[in-house]
Amino acid sequence: MSGLSGAENSAVIVLKRAVELDESSRFQESLVCYQEGINLLLQVLKGTKDEKKKSHYRQKISDYMDRAEQIKRHLEQEKEEGKYHNQIKIAENATGFSYDNLFKPYLNETLTEVWVEDPYIRQVHQLYNFLRFCEMLLKGPCKVKTIHLLTTKDEENGKSQQINALNEIKESLKNYGLTLEISFSSSIHDREIRFNSGWVIKIGRGLDYFKKTEGRFSVGYCDFDLRPCHETTVDVFHNKHTKKT
């Protein structure tokens, strides 16, 4: 019974979040939460013997599935018409915006190639951010085979450090069947991440939106969902044909 109540409790939390996102017009994120919540309710339904409760859960599942389908159709229409735009505002010192959480709604099995344009993949913490982003792609449901990085060269005291770190990331990713192509440009200023599934994510601060923790043994040092953020804006678009250059 404890497992059942645990699943039910998890479903309530996830579906409550789905409704909040839905009401805030953050439809892509709400769809992911609806789908997760529905799967949890289906688990609860399987373990329920009481017919009255079964009927209640079936109705709830049906209602949430109907709403999820409506959102799905709405999103598909917006994508088809090239009108999709979602803006996420990350407040100063906000938490809960790890790469896993931020990018999760846009990762699926159709994603195989990623382009990252960010002029600031140079300092040690920025290089770690990029590595963390790559690790997130490896763990996701996507089947990424190639990541293209376009950044600027560190022409000051960390030049060899940047090159060595990026080459180490490149070699490490090879062990997972993933190719990292590295290019440099002295003229890029915009920060943009593109997926060949059509998603375009523009973060005002690029991947470098996490604050430094008070110490190496402070909460948030390891778990980036607990890491305070700098204020920034995330704009998400969908292009039917994502450019490759």
Side-chain angles (χ1 to χ4, degrees), residues 2-242:
S2 59
L4 185 64
S5 60
E8 187 174 10
N9 187 51
S10 297
V12 168
I13 293 168
V14 173
L15 289 165
K16 184 181 177 184
R17 180 63 177 152
V19 172
E20 288 171 356
L21 291 165
D22 193 349
E23 289 173 348
S24 300
S25 299
R26 290 166 64 176
F27 297 122
Q28 184 66 33
E29 294 162 274
S30 72
L31 179 60
V32 172
C33 287
Y34 276 127
Q35 290 168 337
E36 283 186 12
I38 289 165
N39 285 334
L40 286 166
L41 276 185
L42 285 168
Q43 289 177 33
V44 174
L45 179 62
K46 284 178 185 175
T48 303
K49 306 295 181 189
D50 187 294
E51 286 301 323
K52 191 175 179 182
K53 282 187 176 181
K54 274 189 173 184
S55 177
H56 170 74
Y57 290 133
R58 284 194 191 101
Q59 186 58 54
K60 284 288 183 187
I61 290 166
S62 176
D63 291 345
Y64 287 126
M65 285 181 79
D66 286 346
R67 180 56 188 155
E69 279 303 312
Q70 287 173 2
I71 291 173
K72 205 171 181 180
R73 284 195 298 270
H74 171 71
L75 289 172
E76 287 303 323
Q77 187 177 345
E78 283 199 327
K79 289 176 194 175
E80 191 66 31
E81 295 171 357
K83 292 178 180 177
Y84 182 91
H85 176 218
N86 181 33
Q87 187 173 82
I88 303 162
K89 290 185 182 292
I90 300 177
E92 188 75 7
N93 291 318
T95 56
F97 289 97
S98 66
Y99 296 150
D100 292 271
N101 271 350
L102 184 63
F103 290 98
K104 184 179 180 180
Y106 315 105
L107 302 180
N108 59 41
E109 61 281 354
T110 66
L111 175 59
T112 58
E113 198 166 3
V114 175
W115 292 262
V116 178
E117 292 183 11
D118 191 327
Y120 298 105
I121 309 292
R122 301 189 301 203
Q123 296 178 27
V124 171
H125 74 280
Q126 295 166 343
L127 290 157
Y128 274 123
N129 283 340
F130 179 67
L131 174 58
R132 201 170 290 111
F133 174 78
C134 294
E135 288 174 338
M136 180 267 302
L137 292 173
L138 284 173
K139 290 189 300 178
C142 45
K143 308 293 182 188
V144 175
K145 295 297 179 189
T146 310
I147 300 172
H148 307 265
L149 172 65
L150 178 63
T151 189
T152 54
K153 270 188 182 175
D154 189 346
E155 298 292 359
E156 296 175 8
N157 47 13
K159 185 176 181 180
S160 61
Q161 175 183 266
Q162 180 197 29
I163 299 297
N164 290 340
L166 287 174
N167 283 334
E168 188 173 337
I169 293 171
K170 181 175 182 173
E171 289 304 309
S172 181
L173 289 172
K174 267 187 189 175
N175 296 328
Y176 292 86
L178 204 158
T179 301
L180 173 61
E181 296 186 353
I182 306 162
S183 303
F184 298 98
S185 169
S186 58
S187 59
I188 65 161
H189 300 286
D190 293 342
R191 299 160 176 86
E192 181 175 284
I193 294 169
R194 300 192 307 277
F195 295 162
N196 70 331
S197 51
W199 294 110
V200 180
I201 297 107
K202 298 186 178 187
I203 309 172
R205 295 182 62 96
L207 292 172
D208 190 11
Y209 59 83
F210 296 111
K211 286 191 168 185
K212 189 177 179 181
T213 55
E214 290 180 14
R216 287 184 298 165
F217 295 96
S218 298
V219 169
Y221 187 83
C222 298
D223 189 339
F224 277 70
D225 274 325
L226 299 172
R227 178 73 71 96
C229 298
H230 291 286
E231 182 179 349
T232 194
T233 301
V234 183
D235 286 287
V236 184
F237 304 90
H238 190 277
N239 291 335
K240 198 172 179 183
H241 304 287
T242 306

